[in-house]
Amino acid sequence: MPIHRAQGFTLIELVTVLLLIAILSVVAINQWPGSGINLSAQADQLANDIRYTQSLAMNRGQRYRINLAADRYWISDAGGTVTVSLPGSGATVMILNSGIALSTSYSFLVFDGNGVPYTTATTPGTALAADAVITLSADGESRALRISPQTGRVLKS
C-alpha cells in the first residue's frame, strides 16, 4: 500500500513569499509619484478657472473677479457679492485638495470686458503692472501660475 504525503507549503516557503511581497511593496511605495500629480492637476484647474473668469468677463462685457484665499478660490462679480458656479463641478467655491496651499500677493484679480486684469475692483481700477504670480505648494513641491498684464494670459511654470 503506497504512502500518501500531505501536499502544501512549508512555513519557510510562506515566510519567504511574504518577505518578497513586503520588499516589493516598499520599493513600489517609494517610486509612487505622490502629491505631485495632485498639485499639477490643481494648478491646471486653477489656470483653467482663471481663464474662465477672463472669458466670462469678455463674453458678458462686465467685470468679474477670481477671489483667492490660502485654501480655496471662487469667482464673483466685480463687487464680490454674487458668486458664479465653477465650470465642471458646478460648485461656487473650489476648496484645494488636502495639503495644498495657495499663496499670492493679491486677494483677487478682476478682469474687465476686454480681458485686462486689474488688482482693484473699483472702476477704472488699477491695472496689473507686472506679472501676478500665484503659487500652489505641497510637500516641498510648488507650481506657479503667472498672469501677464494687459492680456491676462495664464502661464504655468
Side-chain angles (χ1 to χ4, degrees):
M1 181 175 219
I3 300 176
H4 294 285
R5 299 183 88 190
Q7 303 253 336
F9 297 105
T10 66
L11 184 58
I12 293 175
E13 290 171 330
L14 289 174
V15 169
T16 303
V17 169
L18 290 174
L19 184 62
L20 287 173
I21 291 172
I23 290 170
L24 291 174
S25 297
V26 168
V27 170
I29 288 172
N30 287 336
Q31 296 297 321
W32 197 258
S35 66
I37 290 176
N38 289 334
L39 186 60
S40 292
Q42 196 78 69
D44 289 342
Q45 177 76 40
L46 177 55
N48 289 334
D49 289 339
I50 292 169
R51 290 180 188 116
Y52 176 71
T53 306
Q54 183 183 33
S55 168
L56 191 64
M58 292 169 61
N59 287 327
R60 294 191 179 172
Q62 62 186 33
R63 290 175 171 235
Y64 281 91
R65 76 187 203 183
I66 187 154
N67 304 279
L68 306 164
D71 65 342
R72 65 192 67 211
Y73 63 89
W74 62 99
I75 300 170
S76 65
D77 64 358
T81 55
V82 179
T83 55
V84 176
S85 296
L86 295 163
S89 68
T92 55
V93 176
M94 175 60 73
I95 299 173
L96 301 177
N97 292 335
S98 177
I100 298 178
L102 183 148
S103 63
T104 183
S105 55
Y106 304 102
S107 58
F108 60 84
L109 288 172
V110 179
F111 291 95
D112 69 5
N114 294 321
V116 177
Y118 289 81
T119 58
T120 56
T122 58
T123 303
T126 305
L128 191 62
D131 285 356
V133 179
I134 301 170
T135 305
L136 296 170
S137 55
D139 297 333
E141 295 184 51
S142 65
R143 301 288 185 277
L145 302 176
R146 294 185 175 280
I147 298 93
S148 63
Q150 298 300 317
T151 64
R153 183 174 180 203
V154 181
L155 299 171
K156 293 180 287 184
S157 55

